[in-house]
Amino acid sequence: MAFVEQSTDGRLATITITRPEALNAISGDVADEIAAAFRAAAGNGSVWTVVLAAAGDRAFCVGADLKERNTLDDEGWARNRVRMRELFEAIRDCPVPTIASVFGFALGGGFELALSCDLIVASEDAVFGLPETTVGIVPGGGGTQLLARKIGLARAKELIFTGRRLPVEEAHEWGLVARVAPRGELASATADLAGRILAASPVAVREAKSAMDGGFGIPLQDALELEDAAWRRAIASDDRREGVAAFNEKRGPGWTGR
């Protein structure tokens, strides 16, 4: 792949955007490559957690490639829209936990990449924003929906209506960012969080993610039914048997993911 690198370390997959000369802007080809990488990770049973990272030192991702879009006619915009929707859907549909490792600018679609992940670890210099309305566009990678769900409707409206940039301290205070680390420690902080997730049963984590994502925003009783179904699937797994046995035998569990 020209714009994305994939690597695995045990059960952890890392997908890295490698277009730093363009501040990791999302062209149609970049969108296709990220989507393909997430689909590959989702279909790989040996992968239990995925990190989305980026190359360079200035920006995690500044959003859509507006230079490319400036060359598109209306039909081209429509085709580009399909590619972008497939990108963000591939991230949101990933069944295992996903972590965005963010530094520098995460703007527009770059912010939406992070929002599409389950968790965000950010460096102390990270800045988030959805400036689309200031150039006549509406956030289209899930920003109008995901941001409101994570920080509340009023805060999301203020950020989207004005295009204001959100410093990492405020993002952390609002619960948008799970962890903040010095720039030089971002990779290790991300790896630490991933490692803590990988220490838990992958079956239980997948089922918990499914229940939380599926139950958000629906009536409580319906959500509790989703939780019950997830609980029953986890209880029927080899991981549950191993986890309970390991606890009683006072040893570390040997998860199989089954």
Side-chain angles (χ1 to χ4, degrees):
M1 292 184 176
F3 301 115
V4 170
E5 291 181 356
Q6 301 177 67
S7 63
T8 57
D9 181 7
R11 300 293 189 175
L12 176 65
T14 300
I15 297 168
T16 305
I17 310 169
T18 56
R19 201 188 180 200
E21 73 284 354
L23 302 182
N24 296 310
I26 310 170
S27 65
D29 288 343
V30 172
D32 292 346
E33 291 190 19
I34 299 172
F38 268 91
R39 292 191 196 103
N44 185 345
S46 66
V47 169
W48 294 353
T49 300
V50 179
V51 167
L52 177 61
D57 56 14
R58 293 181 58 197
F60 170 74
C61 175
V62 293
D65 187 339
L66 293 184
K67 290 183 179 179
E68 177 185 70
R69 287 189 173 184
N70 194 47
T71 68
L72 303 178
D73 57 16
D74 288 350
E75 185 176 332
W77 274 79
R79 289 194 299 269
N80 182 266
R81 174 63 175 157
V82 172
R83 300 168 86 176
M84 293 296 171
R85 288 197 68 177
E86 289 178 350
L87 159 62
F88 293 107
E89 286 171 3
I91 299 174
R92 295 195 304 270
D93 289 347
C94 188
V96 301
T98 53
I99 305 170
S101 187
V102 177
F103 63 89
F105 296 110
L107 305 176
F111 189 8
E112 289 172 313
L113 288 177
L115 288 171
S116 296
C117 293
D118 295 306
L119 299 167
I120 300 172
V121 178
S123 65
E124 292 175 337
D125 65 345
V127 178
F128 304 89
L130 292 173
E132 284 88 345
T133 59
T134 67
V135 293
I137 305 173
V138 172
T144 64
Q145 305 304 307
L146 296 172
L147 187 60
R149 283 166 168 75
K150 296 193 177 190
I151 65 172
L153 190 58
R155 284 172 170 168
K157 284 181 176 180
E158 186 258 327
L159 290 175
I160 291 173
F161 291 173
T162 66
R164 178 172 75 85
R165 293 182 178 183
L166 182 68
V168 71
E169 297 86 356
E170 198 171 0
H172 186 242
E173 179 185 340
W174 287 357
L176 182 63
V177 170
R179 296 188 183 185
V180 179
R183 179 63 172 274
E185 299 174 17
L186 176 62
S188 61
T190 304
D192 178 72
L193 178 57
R196 290 175 181 270
I197 294 171
L198 289 168
S201 158
V203 171
V205 170
R206 285 198 305 270
E207 293 297 345
K209 173 175 174 170
S210 175
M212 286 188 284
D213 287 350
F216 198 91
I218 69 174
L220 177 59
Q221 191 56 46
D222 294 338
L224 291 173
E225 291 302 319
L226 289 179
E227 180 185 79
D228 183 68
W231 182 87
R232 292 177 185 278
R233 289 191 294 269
I235 288 302
S237 71
D238 292 340
D239 271 7
R240 186 272 302 168
R241 298 179 183 90
E242 168 63 12
V244 173
F247 176 83
N248 284 294
E249 294 166 14
K250 296 180 173 55
R251 60 174 174 81
W255 306 123
T256 63
R258 297 191 298 272

